[in-house]
Amino acid sequence: NPSPAALERKLAMQKHPYYRWMETQLDAIWTDPICGNGVCEPPFEFPAFATLGCQVDCGAELDTREVIVLIQADFSKVPAELMAFP
């Protein structure tokens, strides 16, 4: 159970015009965009590539380039206790 002081603070916040206004803004600002509503909403929606993006609203990404990423690792200097598997 909240303390009486916590309840009092909560009630004060509900009555203050700033906090009432802020509550209305939070829902408007932090909402997830809906893919398929006819509006491309960057930066959360973007042209589709593979399985990412929202093709319905933003179309397909046309400016793509093929790249090759080569990753090398040298595990010869890793301490043995870090290489142990359970």
Side-chain angles (χ1 to χ4, degrees):
N1 290 331
S3 70
L7 288 174
E8 187 175 329
R9 278 193 304 273
K10 183 176 180 181
L11 288 173
M13 288 175 60
Q14 289 173 346
K15 291 178 183 177
H16 194 283
Y18 170 77
Y19 293 109
R20 287 198 314 264
W21 172 82
M22 182 57 94
E23 281 184 0
T24 65
Q25 298 306 304
L26 291 176
D27 287 337
I29 294 170
W30 282 286
T31 57
D32 290 326
I34 299 170
C35 183
N37 65 353
V39 178
C40 186
E41 302 174 73
F44 305 107
E45 289 184 334
F46 49 89
F49 174 75
T51 61
L52 304 173
C54 181
Q55 186 167 357
V56 176
D57 293 343
C58 306
E61 180 60 63
L62 302 176
D63 186 19
T64 61
R65 291 175 176 75
E66 186 174 324
V67 296
I68 297 174
V69 178
L70 177 62
I71 299 174
Q72 295 179 327
D74 179 7
F75 293 104
S76 64
K77 295 181 175 88
V78 177
E81 61 269 10
L82 295 178
M83 295 299 289
F85 294 99

